[in-house]
Amino acid sequence: MKHGLITVAAAVPAVKVADVEYNVLEIEKLIANAEGQGVELICFPELAITGYSCQDLFKEQLLLSKAEEGLMMLLNFTRKLNIICVVGMPVQTGGLLLNCAAVIQAGNLLGIVPKTYLPNYNEFYEKRWFASAQDLNDTDLYLAGSHVAMSAEPKVFQTTAGVKFGVEICEDVWAPVPPSNNLTMAGADIILNCSASDEVLGKHQYLRSLLAQQSARTISAYVYSSCGFGESTQDVVYGGNAMIFENGRILVEGERYSFQPQLQVTQIDVERLRTERQTNSTFISAQRDAKAQIVECKTVEPSTFQMLRPVPPHPFIPSEEQMASTCEEILNIQTTGLAKRLLHTNCEHVVVGISGGLDSTLALLVCVRTFDKMGLDRKGIVGITMPGFGTTDRTHDNATSLMQTLGISQMEISIAKAVKQHFEDIGHDIKKHDVTYENSQARERTQILMDLANQLNAMVVGTGDLSELALGWATYNGDHMSMYGVNAGIPKTLIQYLIRYVAEQPAYKAQKETLLDIVDTPISPELTPADEQGNIKQKTEDLVGPYELHDFFLYYFLRFGFRPSKIFFLATHAFGEKYDKETIKKWLTTFCRRFFNQQFKRSCLPDGPKVGSVSLSPRGDWRMPSDASSALWLKECENL
């Protein structure tokens, strides 16, 4: 395991019913293949050593003794391998025949897990051949040259690196209370399911949903391997499902109905799962009474580590298939939040500063949607442009065009005269383009908005976004302040997609060209003069770094509490050759420094709706001392 990632596999071998030697050789081929790919934990189907569909042949002593010999072959084959293998097989103990999973590593039989729930309906009559784990009394079994303690007590297998996994078999997960409930409550990070599920119309989607839900409910990874081509098709067909889930999200999925063996390999982020559990008070409460026997394994040490799971560079951005529904959901959350605040304050007017940039555009669109939904006149939305020393024609024209076509009330108040007077009052040289020069403009604009809101009995709608709050890229008591911040839960990278989504709606045909140009405009506070050609000179991303990097850092820092070294590792894989390692290190260091130093701005944020799983509200998701030291994080950044 490296960076909290463990490499796992779901294997579907070729099989011949009741031909143990053939089956074991096919299992060995996949183990060798997996070992070569650095797999640390591999799951095979139910009764893989004999084949699942042997039916009454399970009563034959020859088959059962050959199954034990097959296990011995696997133990011998894995003697010099560290990979942990979970393989299905029948096991005799006393007067019982059990449908089991054998857990093998380095030539050792670590444990036997018997199936708990046996189907006895339709074409499945497992109770005809097997007993349940519930029928088992504690016993010491001598199997394949190994002594194994057999009991119905749940077993959690633990590597020396601390990764924990449990095993259940096929029907177990379909039960009202699956064994994996207790196993995960007892600490198992990963559940492996040795299965044999036949295919009938509609079943696969139900199974996929069931496994995703079980993985999500137990905040675990779920490795599912079901028998496939080669099993008897006398009455049913087995599709060979190989699926791996992590907290409800499918990571890899095999080809169903394949005539060839399958090996689906991916990596599970154990640290991510544990962070989710630690922050979920419901999970913490549920696991209080969970118990299981702990079985020790060795930690698998692959000779090489290769990142296998994809790392999306834009974790806040939904997939293309979900884009429209996600954007609509976000806009509805923003709209509903603002509507409630307007109703509560008996307010029918809002004031918004419109700069022609991304944030103010989204805030204005939310105001328009809210007023339309509440049946209020759009003229109650007062959009104010406040040109200053750095305002360009492009942003100014886009701002005025947008307000005109949306039919809202429009005002323009230049801040230049007031700011110059302010500079005279405090003795600041207007030629000195420092923080005072910039922040004086931001605070003057906020003063105008607040005073007009008082004059009009209106509410100032804030425009600042989640990314700016994380970096502290806002003037304290300037654009930092409002009466309700509709964008507070939305990162900068996502705002562009929201505006594009609105631009494509038929109701915004008249605004489409303007909206798309706003998306394409360089991000800037426009607080310093433009260049000689009138173009934006002060570009935010040149100063604090690319927002796509900062949003990536923010997601993994806040959502999972990852340390800088892991965030750096993930970022190098997510962005490939777009940014070299030195660039990523530079901006990650900037992120950590600014995030700690700027907490004081977040400690007094205005109200605003939470939108996604990451929020910086001091009343909700993020509570941090304003004077916390960043030394640990910056030191780790230095050592990258």
Side-chain angles (χ1 to χ4, degrees), residues 17 52 66 125-126 144 204 217 227 259 278 299 337 354 357 417 426 429 451 490 504 558 566 575 578 583 588 599:
V17 179
Y52 176 77
K66 285 296 181 181
Y125 301 102
E126 283 191 30
H204 176 69
R217 186 178 296 108
C227 57
F259 294 172
Q278 289 167 12
T299 295
I354 308 299
K417 184 178 179 181
I426 66 173
D429 184 356
D451 292 346
I490 306 175
E504 297 299 331
L558 235 64
K566 182 161 183 175
F575 292 98
K578 185 171 185 179
T583 301
L588 178 57
Q599 172 61 27

Side-chain angles (χ1 to χ4, degrees), residues 528-585:
T528 59
D531 63 20
E532 295 178 356
Q533 288 74 42
N535 298 318
I536 293 172
K537 185 176 180 181
Q538 184 188 31
K539 297 180 181 179
T540 299
E541 292 182 295
D542 291 343
L543 301 172
V544 295
Y547 272 115
E548 63 178 348
L549 279 179
H550 286 305
D551 283 355
F552 184 91
F553 303 152
L554 174 65
Y555 179 80
Y556 286 103
F557 181 85
L558 235 64
R559 184 73 175 81
F560 302 109
F562 288 166
R563 59 195 300 164
S565 58
K566 182 161 183 175
I567 296 174
F568 175 79
F569 169 77
L570 294 173
T572 58
H573 286 276
F575 292 98
E577 298 179 358
K578 185 171 185 179
Y579 302 105
D580 60 33
K581 290 184 178 181
E582 284 304 312
T583 301
I584 293 173
K585 175 181 176 179

Side-chain angles (χ1 to χ4, degrees), residues 418-628:
V419 174
K420 286 179 181 178
Q421 179 62 53
H422 180 63
F423 287 160
E424 289 182 20
D425 293 341
I426 66 173
H428 184 77
D429 184 356
I430 195 172
K431 296 179 181 179
K432 188 177 181 181
H433 297 170
D434 58 2
V435 67
T436 303
Y437 178 89
E438 295 184 11
N439 286 351
S440 294
Q441 297 175 67
R443 292 195 180 102
E444 176 61 27
R445 286 177 171 133
T446 301
Q447 177 177 257
I448 291 171
L449 295 174
M450 291 288 181
D451 292 346
L452 275 172
N454 292 157
Q455 190 179 66
L456 300 171
N457 191 28
M459 177 185 298
V460 176
V461 174
T463 61
D465 62 56
L466 182 67
S467 305
E468 292 181 342
L469 295 174
L471 295 169
W473 193 251
T475 298
Y476 192 81
N477 206 34
D479 51 314
H480 159 257
M481 194 48 60
S482 68
M483 296 172 184
Y484 194 72
V486 293
N487 294 340
I490 306 175
K492 187 77 76 178
T493 49
L494 183 54
I495 288 178
Q496 300 177 48
Y497 288 88
L498 287 165
I499 294 175
R500 285 186 186 277
Y501 168 75
V502 174
E504 297 299 331
Q505 304 307 302
Y508 291 86
K509 184 177 180 180
Q511 295 82 33
K512 181 175 180 178
E513 183 178 347
T514 301
L515 290 173
L516 294 180
D517 190 60
I518 289 171
V519 170
D520 292 335
T521 301
I523 299 169
S524 172
E526 293 192 326
L527 296 174
T528 59
D531 63 20
E532 295 178 356
Q533 288 74 42
N535 298 318
I536 293 172
K537 185 176 180 181
Q538 184 188 31
K539 297 180 181 179
T540 299
E541 292 182 295
D542 291 343
L543 301 172
V544 295
Y547 272 115
E548 63 178 348
L549 279 179
H550 286 305
D551 283 355
F552 184 91
F553 303 152
L554 174 65
Y555 179 80
Y556 286 103
F557 181 85
L558 235 64
R559 184 73 175 81
F560 302 109
F562 288 166
R563 59 195 300 164
S565 58
K566 182 161 183 175
I567 296 174
F568 175 79
F569 169 77
L570 294 173
T572 58
H573 286 276
F575 292 98
E577 298 179 358
K578 185 171 185 179
Y579 302 105
D580 60 33
K581 290 184 178 181
E582 284 304 312
T583 301
I584 293 173
K585 175 181 176 179
K586 172 187 174 181
W587 295 123
L588 178 57
T589 303
T590 297
F591 173 84
C592 291
R593 185 182 65 254
R594 292 192 65 96
F595 188 87
F596 276 81
N597 292 350
Q598 302 295 315
Q599 172 61 27
F600 74 99
K601 294 179 182 177
R602 299 189 291 266
S603 293
C604 54
L605 282 180
D607 292 355
K610 178 179 178 178
V611 170
S613 58
V614 173
S615 169
L616 285 167
S617 168
R619 298 165 294 276
D621 291 55
W622 188 250
R623 306 180 192 193
M624 170 183 168
S626 297
D627 49 7

Side-chain angles (χ1 to χ4, degrees), residues 1 6-7 21 124 128 139 142 155 163 195 220 224 256 305 368 377 403 405 428 433 443 455 509 544 568 588 597:
M1 185 170 72
I6 181 171
T7 307
E21 185 173 343
F124 298 105
R128 178 182 176 96
T139 184
Y142 186 75
K155 293 180 177 64
V163 178
S195 186
S220 67
Y224 181 89
R256 295 165 64 217
F305 179 86
V368 168
D377 188 344
M403 290 188 286
T405 56
H428 184 77
H433 297 170
R443 292 195 180 102
Q455 190 179 66
K509 184 177 180 180
V544 295
F568 175 79
L588 178 57
N597 292 350

